[in-house]
Amino acid sequence: MHMTHDPAALPADTIGFDQFLAVDIRVGTVVEALPFPEARKPAFKLLIDFGPAIGVKRSSAQITEHHGPEDLVGSQVAAVVNFPPRQIGPFMSEVLTLGFPDAEGKVVLIRPAKPVPNGERLF
């Protein structure tokens, strides 16, 4: 979620379906959302349950403008689960929680329209 918000951005280069499949995007339920005061930009430390095959993973997410701990806990989010872990200050972020920028570039999370089993893969 470190992309520059540019409404005139052109689509990315064409890729093969196998390249899409290489990015493992799963759904999980947020079980904990805590403030992350050590982060350079406002963020939450999330614990997300991706079901028995993947388990509970940690994510640092810059989503504080539209989302608060009270609406995050118990809600489902989408995340890339096969990037290498990334150290962010004192916190190890294991998955990249996904969202889209609003008109001001503030992140709005991607959420399924209806509940789905934790760990299901985007296709």
Side-chain angles (χ1 to χ4, degrees):
M1 290 205 260
H2 306 289
M3 305 287 177
T4 305
H5 177 61
D6 180 3
L10 295 172
D13 292 337
T14 300
I15 62 170
F17 191 64
D18 56 335
Q19 290 173 288
F20 168 70
L21 290 178
V23 181
D24 194 353
I25 299 172
R26 304 283 180 133
V27 66
T29 298
V30 177
V31 294
E32 186 175 82
L34 300 173
F36 189 4
E38 304 92 343
R40 280 188 317 236
K41 295 182 179 176
F44 291 122
K45 295 185 284 190
L46 305 179
L47 277 182
I48 306 169
D49 182 359
F50 291 97
I54 295 171
V56 176
K57 299 291 182 183
R58 306 187 324 156
S59 182
S60 169
Q62 296 173 8
I63 55 173
T64 58
E65 292 89 352
H66 291 300
H67 304 284
E70 65 287 340
D71 83 287
L72 287 167
V73 174
S75 72
Q76 290 191 303
V77 296
V80 176
V81 299
N82 66 332
F83 284 146
R86 190 160 169 243
Q87 188 74 41
I88 302 175
F91 187 76
M92 184 63 77
S93 187
E94 300 173 292
V95 301
L96 177 66
T97 304
L98 299 172
F100 290 109
D102 69 7
E104 285 82 48
K106 296 173 173 62
V107 178
V108 177
L109 287 171
I110 296 173
R111 293 178 167 167
K114 295 183 179 181
V116 294
N118 286 336
E120 286 297 327
R121 188 168 177 174
L122 181 76
F123 62 85

